Amino acid sequence: MRGQRMGMGETLRRVRRARVEAMDDVLGVAIPVLDDGFVRVIDYMGDDGAVVQAARVSYGAGTKRVQEDRGLIRYLLRHSHTTPFEMCELKLHVRVPMDTWRQWIRHRTASVNEYSTRYSIAIDAAQGTAPEEWRLQRASNRQGSEGHVSVETGELLSRREREVQGIARAAYEERLGAGVAREQARKDLPLSTYTEAYWKSDLHNLLHFLRLRMDLHAQWEIRQYAEVIGRKVVARWCPVVWEAFNDYKVNAIGLSGVEIGMLRSLLSGDQESVMRAALEQGWVAEDGKGVRGSRERRELEAKSERLGIVWPWNAK
């Protein structure tokens, strides 16, 4: 039987589901995260080839020249052509502490179905903190941490944590035993209690999640999940996309118009213009010293450090 002809000149033929052997090897396998959490791949759709196929609006297997496919994927990611990456989807089963899940669920671009403690008994597990893992509040960032408390203090905090979690669980089970409705009995469970959910996202939105949550400024706990999803799942699933993502998003440096102008002046030796621009931006004071609390200036300094660039206000 002859193949039907499509409007775009392609022969209509059977297209088989993309299969990635490295992904099939981990389907259903719980990858541990934290002390009692996990990430489990339930299903996936598409692969590197599906991104290429979507970009070319083709029903075939795409070009057989691997370098061409790699070049196209890198071009798409480099120039933020996102639609082809939406053709791939990943479905995960995750077990995560409730406080970490609150940050996770802020990414509203996924389909989610969470374990309900209104209908089911709450999972009898809560995230514990080792004595050496208690972090100090970062002075320059109200939502960040930096450094750790002493091990002696940590031992006390960890012991109290276990006591609080034990009391809360006992109270919860006591209420259930007395016939209290589950929706009310749960109200004093700690945010460290583990929950589970199915989380399905397309590759474009998944990469956005990973770029934010793998960042060193993200909270440590959710960063552990992002690292596992990125390095142990996406790297297996779409290795060419993963390579491009690291090159153009994770390890890249973005410069604002102001920063480019200052960098141009610095490279031409015009330090006076550099300092004038920094003063106009409120990054330095009249005496040429950096203004405390200037986050944008600190971000520029962090970028410049990677390039070996020293700004006049930091020069010794």
Side-chain angles (χ1 to χ4, degrees):
M1 179 178 179
R2 293 182 179 178
Q4 299 175 0
R5 302 294 295 181
M6 297 184 66
M8 297 182 68
E10 286 288 330
T11 300
L12 184 62
R13 57 184 179 276
R14 184 174 181 179
V15 178
R16 297 189 180 277
R17 181 184 188 277
R19 289 193 58 188
V20 180
E21 186 175 345
M23 280 291 279
D24 291 342
D25 289 342
V26 297
L27 276 177
V29 177
I31 306 172
V33 190
L34 302 181
D35 56 348
D36 202 31
F38 62 73
V39 168
R40 188 199 315 267
V41 179
I42 299 300
D43 202 359
Y44 65 94
M45 181 180 78
D47 57 4
D48 283 326
V51 176
V52 172
Q53 185 184 74
R56 294 192 171 122
V57 197
S58 162
Y59 285 88
T63 177
K64 294 183 179 178
R65 294 177 60 183
V66 176
Q67 276 304 113
E68 264 187 50
D69 286 359
R70 177 176 178 271
L72 177 55
I73 287 174
R74 292 177 68 84
Y75 174 86
L76 294 170
L77 204 61
R78 188 166 66 248
H79 293 281
S80 299
H81 294 297
T82 60
T83 306
F85 299 96
E86 295 175 8
M87 299 299 109
C88 297
E89 292 192 342
L90 180 68
K91 181 179 176 182
L92 299 175
H93 174 202
V94 299
R95 182 178 175 117
V96 55
M98 289 181 177
D99 58 344
T100 304
W101 181 241
R102 281 188 172 185
Q103 296 182 53
W104 197 320
I105 206 66
R106 286 176 60 83
H107 296 264
R108 294 166 291 180
T109 49
S111 297
V112 180
N113 196 36
E114 184 184 357
Y115 182 92
S116 173
T117 53
R118 189 179 184 196
Y119 301 107
S120 304
I121 305 298
I123 296 170
D124 189 10
Q127 183 202 358
T129 309
E132 67 276 8
E133 292 177 349
W134 292 99
R135 303 189 296 275
L136 292 166
Q137 179 64 45
R138 188 171 186 175
S140 61
N141 186 341
R142 284 178 290 181
Q143 65 175 12
S145 58
E146 186 175 48
H148 295 80
V149 304
S150 67
V151 175
E152 292 76 14
T153 300
E155 288 175 348
L156 171 62
L157 297 177
S158 294
R159 183 167 65 252
R160 291 284 176 81
E161 178 184 59
R162 291 191 295 272
E163 292 172 359
V164 169
Q165 291 174 346
I167 291 171
R169 185 72 197 190
Y172 171 70
E173 293 181 353
E174 183 179 49
R175 294 166 185 172
L176 293 178
V180 174
R182 291 170 183 169
E183 64 183 23
Q184 186 180 27
R186 64 185 176 172
K187 72 185 187 70
D188 293 314
L189 287 172
L191 287 174
S192 56
T193 305
Y194 276 93
T195 186
E196 293 185 14
Y198 282 105
W199 191 73
K200 181 172 71 70
S201 176
D202 65 61
L203 183 56
H204 163 56
N205 286 298
L206 176 58
L207 293 177
H208 179 67
F209 169 84
L210 294 177
R211 185 176 64 83
L212 294 177
R213 299 306 183 176
M214 286 174 60
D215 188 273
L216 292 177
H217 296 94
Q219 185 172 322
W220 183 84
E221 286 80 6
I222 197 168
R223 203 162 74 234
Q224 305 315 299
Y225 283 91
E227 290 282 348
V228 165
I229 294 170
R231 303 186 191 287
K232 296 188 178 181
V233 177
V234 178
R236 285 173 168 267
W237 177 31
C238 301
V240 179
V241 170
W242 178 247
E243 175 197 42
F245 170 67
N246 277 278
D247 280 346
Y248 299 127
K249 303 299 180 181
V250 177
N251 299 319
I253 296 175
L255 296 174
S256 69
V258 171
E259 292 169 339
I260 291 173
M262 292 175 66
L263 185 57
R264 185 183 296 116
S265 296
L266 183 69
L267 294 176
S268 67
D270 186 0
Q271 294 200 3
E272 183 178 340
S273 294
V274 173
M275 293 302 293
R276 185 167 57 249
L279 183 62
E280 291 173 355
Q281 295 299 316
W283 296 353
V284 299
E286 292 287 350
D287 60 4
K289 295 182 179 179
V291 174
R292 184 177 181 180
S294 177
R295 180 177 296 181
E296 194 170 359
R297 192 202 73 244
R298 294 199 307 271
E299 290 175 359
L300 172 61
E301 290 169 349
K303 299 173 190 176
S304 304
E305 186 177 358
R306 294 175 59 185
L307 300 172
I309 295 172
V310 178
W311 294 96
W313 57 83
N314 286 335
K316 296 181 179 179

